[in-house]
Amino acid sequence: MKKWEYGNYWEKYPIEEGQLWVDTVTGSILSVCDITKHVPSFFVPDIIYCDPPWDLGNANSFLTKNESGYYLSSFSEFYNKLFEIIKNVKPSVCYLEIGKRNLKVFQNELSNIYNQIQTWEVTYYKKNKSYLIRGSESKTDFDFTGMDDMDTPFAAIKNEQCKSVGDLCTGRGLTAVAALANNKRFYGVELNKRRMAVTIDRMIQRGSNFKIK
Ligand SMILES: C[S@@+](CC[C@H](N)C(=O)[O-])C[C@H]1O[C@@H](n2cnc3c(N)ncnc32)[C@H](O)[C@@H]1O
């Protein structure tokens, strides 16, 4: 098995680009697509929680793992699109995880959309420093400082008034699991069908039941 095949989940749940996998239990919807090229119209969540690629190398390594056959020449090609989508959807709250290198860029971009920007220093893999940014029209009192990014989506979603949560870089489904744990509908988009299949499996383990549209 190649390292980037992510197990045999896709063989079990063969989601393809262009399909919508709809959870008949919660109304959650999943779709495979590259957000720099297209965003499905179902993506209208009340809040967004997203851990996107953090820099150009990271974005291109996900394109390699997906065998996309093309690369970005600058990180702005990715994040310009990311923030354009956030601006169009304008959820009441948007959480983004980011590393130090592009922290200021993300803070600036989010402050073009929201009046209130808050940032907390958190960790990933329980030791490395990273940042959680929240954009909204009003601040939260919740303090995420020092939390690990395995836990922040659960706390963030629990802390917000919302019926649905969206993630534009769903990956293997941490936000999806956090949404389900908080009884929220989940709208997920992800580049890599094999990573999305892991999410489908995790959601099915938690009671979801998908039909394909
Ligand atoms: C840091 S990971 C997210 C991890 C995720 N929270 C999880 O639970 O697995 C970033 C994700 O963004 C996805 N991604 C990268 N470029 C993308 C693009 N252009 N469109 C959509 N998803 C993309 C990657 O495939 C990867 O799954």
Side-chain angles (χ1 to χ4, degrees):
M1 184 181 81
K2 278 192 271 177
K3 200 171 139 220
W4 54 86
E5 282 182 351
Y6 306 110
N8 65 349
Y9 296 103
W10 186 77
E11 283 66 25
K12 267 166 92 179
Y13 310 114
I15 186 167
E16 290 288 0
E17 214 170 321
Q19 294 175 339
L20 300 184
W21 282 49
V22 180
D23 178 1
T24 55
V25 180
T26 62
S28 298
I29 309 177
L30 305 178
S31 164
V32 170
C33 79
D34 181 336
I35 61 161
T36 65
K37 306 207 177 299
H38 171 71
V39 180
S41 56
F42 71 78
F43 193 84
V44 282
D46 294 340
I47 73 167
I48 285 178
Y49 188 103
C50 183
D51 176 15
W54 288 0
D55 56 30
L56 177 64
N58 195 212
N60 279 337
S61 93
F62 282 118
L63 289 171
T64 302
K65 288 171 183 164
N66 188 49
E67 300 177 358
S68 294
Y70 53 85
Y71 293 99
L72 304 177
S73 50
S74 76
F75 188 46
S76 61
E77 285 176 55
F78 176 81
Y79 72 70
N80 283 342
K81 203 68 203 179
L82 176 73
F83 286 102
E84 184 188 311
I85 298 162
I86 296 168
K87 192 175 176 184
N88 288 339
V89 173
K90 189 88 194 273
S92 62
V93 182
C94 177
Y95 285 92
L96 296 174
E97 294 182 22
I98 189 68
K100 189 171 181 122
R101 186 192 293 190
N102 284 298
L103 174 62
K104 283 212 162 66
V105 173
F106 271 40
Q107 286 170 322
N108 283 340
E109 292 289 339
L110 211 55
S111 69
N112 291 330
I113 304 173
Y114 296 101
N115 285 314
Q116 301 292 344
I117 304 298
Q118 290 168 279
T119 305
W120 299 271
E121 194 176 297
V122 294
T123 59
Y124 69 100
Y125 294 126
K126 306 235 165 173
K127 57 179 168 82
N128 303 300
K129 214 188 274 185
S130 63
Y131 298 88
L132 180 65
I133 314 175
R134 178 184 185 275
S136 183
E137 296 310 318
S138 58
K139 287 189 175 178
T140 180
D141 293 333
F142 195 90
D143 186 3
F144 294 89
T145 307
M147 287 179 73
D148 191 69
D149 75 348
M150 292 302 283
D151 302 318
T152 49
F154 291 86
I157 293 166
K158 192 173 177 187
N159 182 47
E160 303 293 349
Q161 297 280 343
C162 65
K163 290 202 168 106
S164 60
V165 180
D167 189 347
L168 291 156
C169 297
T170 295
R172 290 179 279 184
L174 187 62
T175 310
V177 170
L180 291 190
N182 283 289
N183 293 316
K184 310 295 181 192
R185 181 176 289 191
F186 178 70
Y187 296 122
V189 177
E190 163 59 38
L191 171 75
N192 189 318
K193 63 188 185 183
R194 301 197 74 93
R195 286 172 72 83
M196 189 61 114
V198 179
T199 297
I200 293 170
D201 186 70
R202 292 177 82 182
M203 290 179 72
I204 287 173
Q205 300 298 325
R206 286 159 178 82
S208 292
N209 183 22
F210 286 94
K211 70 171 186 220
I212 304 168
K213 269 197 182 168

